[in-house]
Amino acid sequence: MTPDDTPVPLRIARQAARTPDATAVSAPGGELTYRTFDRRARAVAGELRAAGAGPEDTVLVGTDRGADWAVAVLGAWYAGAAPLLVDPAAPEERLRTLLDAAGTRYAVVTGHPAAAALRRRSGGELFWAGTRGDLPDAAAEPAAVAPGSLAYVLFTSGSTGRPKPVAVGHAGLARQTGALAARYGLTAADRVLQFAAPAFDVSLEEALPTWCTGGTAVFVDDNLAPPAELEPFLARRHVTLVNLPTPYWAQWAKDLARSPRPLPPALRHVVIGSDAGRTADLDRWYAAGGPPVTSAYGLTESTITATCHETRPGPPAGSADSTGPADSAHSAGSSDEVIPLGLPLEGVRAYVLDGAMEPAADDEAGELYLAGPCLARGYHGRPALTAERFVADPFAAPGERMYRTGDRVRRASDGTLRFLGRTDDQVKIRGHRVELKEVETAVAAHPDVVDVVARAVPHRGEPRVVAYVAAAPGRTLDGEALRRHVAARVPGHLVPARTCVLPALPRTPGRDEVAGHPRGHV
């Protein structure tokens, strides 16, 4: 079957024309039919286009999750522009930095005070908050976006201390959306949980395949926290599929093991990602009667998901039907291992290369490179960084590229990829990629800090970042006050969980160490 390169916004517009009265958005503040969703997005597009927004322009989406976010994203696309996905609750200084880095002149802003404060910026930016109301005269027909044009920009942590604006094209987004809709068997009857934060690209992965197949995106309440509170919500809203951060799902599995109870009856599939899962949690999940779980792996640079590993409940260990702990069948009593990364999605090429850029043999460790239409265009406005990470693909036609993931993996004889670790200092904090250099840069911005080293340390089975700092001569530092200073300027996942103030930071010539601890070692 030939992959469908039809851009996602056009698919959504066609779906709205086919099923105008079906529910597209179900959120705490109310519901939107496809007709209303489409009309409000056209209204946003009209305002943006009248102000000059068009192809290759970015539009900051500074809204709460829910209907406003959905309308703002689709409205930016209908204008021919690209949403800039940010956390509207981020400190204003951080939002200004992201706006400047992306060269953004337009925004749809509602909700949080930090985002609303950006209205005071000068320079002709458009900050249009009318994602509700009647269709104005300026309403626009959806723009005919080209497959190679800019679809969205999202920032990830930067190894140089600066956040990296990843620029994703419409062709890659269209391929990924279609592949996942098919992989999960989505139909108009599905009600898919919208759990991810607006600044996390998984929010698009949850919503877009749903809207392209006529289903309903069910937005979770921002105040919903523990899994025990999620279950009745899923039951009330008749949710059929959820996409959850792996640590959150793992906690859910452990809760079920401690307190067995029926799961929401409509729930038919669970997708997990952002961190490596464990087979012991699969055992707990399936022992509780949970539906099939797919573990998804990918990066913003690969247009979100690149590989999937599908699991299912297996026969009890030691039974006549048991063949031992296989990749696709995990039963009670199997050993606790890391869930594999699995196999590439349709159209994704995955290479495991050694230090000489040659293919590693089966079961030998190497760095994972991803290639194919899934790749992002690069880093917005940063050609040197793009050239460093998106390199020529020697195994494909001239002009093809591949992305260096920095992940160490090995490939089994059946093609299954297994995660082994990182080749650098990058860590995952609550599902977010965090470069320790960016943490250090944020801490070093304090005027009384003369030196800082950040490292990841294990804490209750999860990494957390500790910053070791030294004060400038004649100055004193309070660790908690320093954390508050950093928290006022960067998002929460870049704030050290703990700061240790030392007279000086001892280092060794061969390794960057603090108090005998190698930097980046977990």
Side-chain angles (χ1 to χ4, degrees):
M1 182 177 66
T2 303
D4 186 358
D5 288 328
T6 303
V8 166
L10 180 55
R11 293 188 201 180
I12 297 174
R14 290 173 176 172
Q15 185 63 48
R18 285 194 297 268
T19 59
D21 297 322
T23 301
V25 174
S26 176
E31 296 188 341
L32 297 180
T33 64
Y34 275 89
R35 176 188 289 109
T36 305
F37 183 25
D38 178 73
R39 284 171 61 87
R40 290 187 182 172
R42 289 172 187 248
V44 171
E47 295 286 336
L48 290 172
R49 198 176 292 174
E56 301 302 310
D57 287 322
T58 55
V59 177
L60 179 133
V61 176
T63 69
D64 291 308
R65 84 169 82 206
D68 286 342
W69 177 86
V71 170
V73 169
L74 187 58
W77 280 334
Y78 277 5
L84 172 64
L85 303 176
V86 301
D87 177 5
E92 183 182 348
E93 182 176 322
R94 174 75 171 190
L95 292 176
R96 289 177 182 272
T97 297
L98 302 187
L99 274 173
D100 292 341
T104 302
R105 297 188 300 119
Y106 310 98
V108 181
V109 177
T110 61
H112 292 281
L118 293 174
R119 295 171 184 271
R120 297 192 296 270
R121 286 173 57 92
S122 59
E125 296 91 346
L126 172 71
F127 296 100
W128 192 78
T131 57
R132 306 168 185 265
D134 296 331
L135 190 68
D137 293 337
E141 286 294 315
V145 296
S149 63
L150 185 64
Y152 65 88
V153 174
L154 188 145
F155 282 86
T156 66
S157 187
S159 58
T160 63
R162 295 168 56 197
K164 299 181 295 189
V166 182
V168 175
H170 273 288
L173 183 61
R175 295 280 187 108
Q176 192 259 8
T177 297
L180 289 181
R183 174 65 63 100
Y184 303 144
L186 294 178
T187 71
D190 276 299
R191 296 174 60 84
V192 179
L193 186 68
Q194 193 75 20
F195 186 88
F200 204 25
D201 51 7
V202 175
S203 61
L204 297 177
E205 181 175 278
E206 292 167 334
L208 302 186
T210 306
W211 290 330
C212 287
T213 52
T216 302
V218 180
F219 284 80
V220 71
D221 189 323
D222 276 331
N223 296 321
L224 201 59
E229 294 182 17
L230 180 66
E231 291 176 33
F233 178 89
L234 299 179
R236 288 194 307 272
R237 300 296 187 92
H238 307 288
V239 170
T240 61
L241 185 144
V242 298
N243 191 331
L244 300 173
T246 301
Y248 185 95
W249 165 81
Q251 185 58 54
W252 193 4
K254 292 179 175 69
D255 288 351
L256 291 171
R258 287 192 295 265
S259 177
R261 55 193 180 270
L263 285 166
L267 187 62
R268 66 171 183 83
H269 201 104
V270 173
V271 181
I272 60 173
S274 78
D275 284 286
R278 310 292 304 191
T279 58
D281 291 317
L282 280 176
D283 293 339
R284 296 182 182 100
W285 178 257
Y286 289 134
V293 173
T294 295
S295 181
Y297 162 84
L299 307 100
T300 301
E301 290 87 346
S302 66
T303 315
I304 325 173
T305 293
T307 71
C308 284
H309 183 71
E310 298 177 358
T311 75
R312 54 179 171 80
S319 71
D321 294 331
S322 175
T323 57
D327 287 344
S328 60
H330 299 280
S331 54
S334 64
S335 60
D336 184 17
E337 300 175 347
V338 174
I339 299 174
L341 302 183
L343 299 172
L345 279 180
E346 180 185 3
V348 177
R349 301 193 302 274
Y351 306 126
V352 182
L353 306 181
D354 61 20
M357 298 290 285
E358 293 293 332
D362 287 349
D363 291 321
E364 287 191 358
E367 183 174 356
L368 177 62
Y369 289 72
L370 297 173
C374 65
L375 289 194
R377 302 195 324 184
Y379 298 108
H380 193 63
R382 299 179 66 180
L385 182 59
T386 299
E388 177 186 332
R389 302 299 297 187
F390 292 82
V391 299
D393 183 349
F395 312 105
E400 291 280 328
R401 304 171 306 150
M402 57 184 185
Y403 175 70
R404 298 185 59 182
T405 69
D407 286 331
R408 291 181 62 251
V409 303
R410 63 180 176 86
R411 192 196 305 271
S413 57
D414 66 355
T416 299
L417 297 166
R418 293 181 176 274
F419 180 72
L420 301 177
R422 290 288 301 173
T423 63
D424 55 22
D425 286 344
Q426 186 184 107
V427 294
K428 283 286 187 73
I429 304 295
R430 300 190 300 278
H432 294 273
R433 290 160 57 184
V434 172
E435 299 281 0
L436 295 178
K437 180 63 177 177
E438 189 168 5
V439 176
E440 292 172 352
T441 299
V443 174
H446 191 285
D448 293 340
V449 171
V450 71
D451 201 4
V452 56
V453 167
R455 64 180 292 267
V457 299
H459 179 70
R460 298 178 180 176
E462 300 290 338
R464 69 172 183 173
V465 175
V466 175
Y468 297 88
V469 299
R475 303 294 182 91
T476 59
L477 283 170
D478 175 81
E480 283 305 307
L482 178 58
R483 285 187 71 255
R484 291 193 295 272
H485 176 87
V486 174
R489 289 159 176 79
V490 298
H493 62 274
L494 292 177
V495 179
R498 185 166 167 247
T499 56
C500 296
V501 180
L502 304 174
L505 302 189
R507 304 174 188 269
T508 63
R511 297 168 74 188
D512 189 3
E513 295 185 350
V514 177
H517 297 296
R519 177 182 172 192
H521 176 73
V522 179

